[in-house]
Amino acid sequence: MQEVSEVSINSCPLRAVTDRRTFSWRTVFFGFMRSRRHTHRREVDDDVIFLDWHHPWLFFLATGTMLLSCADAFLTLQLLNGGMVEANPVMRAAMSQSTLVFTSTKLALTAFGILVLVYLAKSHFLNRFRTGLLLTVMFSGYCCLVCYELVNLFAMM
């Protein structure tokens, strides 16, 4: 049996002072721009739905939906001040608490829904269509809702 010899610490080359694994916004930017896994490596992995990289269209949809949700909250408050009634019972209950509860609940629920839809964007819903399509539908619905609220707001003026 061979004897294992210990390697002295002095025989190892010196490492750089800065640790290359430190986190910064540069890390986030280059990780986004140069992410490595855009597709699956093998055909066997086609069932795996989680990748390092999502299409930029999903970023547009997620950001746009969140901005439209903020616009919806603002326009809803303006319309409620003008005499309209909140149709959503969950948001009506939140509005009865306070404006802060209403806006934080609305934005938190929207953000959670967006997060789940982006995370599952490559999965198939009911084995028919990708879940990312639901994010497109959600974005389109918010566009229609904000347009409806703007029309009502201009009609009140």
Side-chain angles (χ1 to χ4, degrees), residues 98-113:
S98 72
T99 303
L100 180 63
V101 172
F102 168 74
T103 55
S104 60
T105 302
K106 177 169 186 43
L107 296 179
L109 288 173
T110 305
F112 180 73

Side-chain angles (χ1 to χ4, degrees), residues 58-88:
L58 286 175
F59 176 74
F60 167 75
L61 288 175
T63 306
T65 303
M66 199 64 208
L67 290 174
L68 286 170
S69 178
C70 292
D72 174 39
F74 174 75
L75 291 172
T76 299
L77 292 173
Q78 295 300 316
L79 290 170
L80 289 173
N81 285 338
M84 294 198 76
V85 179
E86 176 64 48
N88 185 345

Side-chain angles (χ1 to χ4, degrees), residues 7-74:
V7 178
S8 69
I9 297 174
N10 294 335
S11 65
C12 293
L14 292 177
R15 291 184 177 224
V17 175
T18 58
D19 187 6
R20 62 185 172 95
R21 295 173 292 176
T22 57
F23 177 81
S24 68
W25 285 107
R26 183 179 184 271
T27 308
V28 174
F29 177 73
F30 281 107
F32 176 72
M33 297 303 289
R34 295 190 203 174
S35 58
R36 293 180 282 184
R37 195 178 334 163
H38 292 240
T39 60
H40 301 294
R41 294 184 217 165
R42 300 172 204 91
E43 288 183 25
V44 178
D45 293 338
D46 283 342
D47 292 337
V48 178
I49 57 173
F50 307 110
L51 297 174
D52 292 344
W53 182 84
H54 292 287
H55 197 276
W57 182 248
L58 286 175
F59 176 74
F60 167 75
L61 288 175
T63 306
T65 303
M66 199 64 208
L67 290 174
L68 286 170
S69 178
C70 292
D72 174 39
F74 174 75

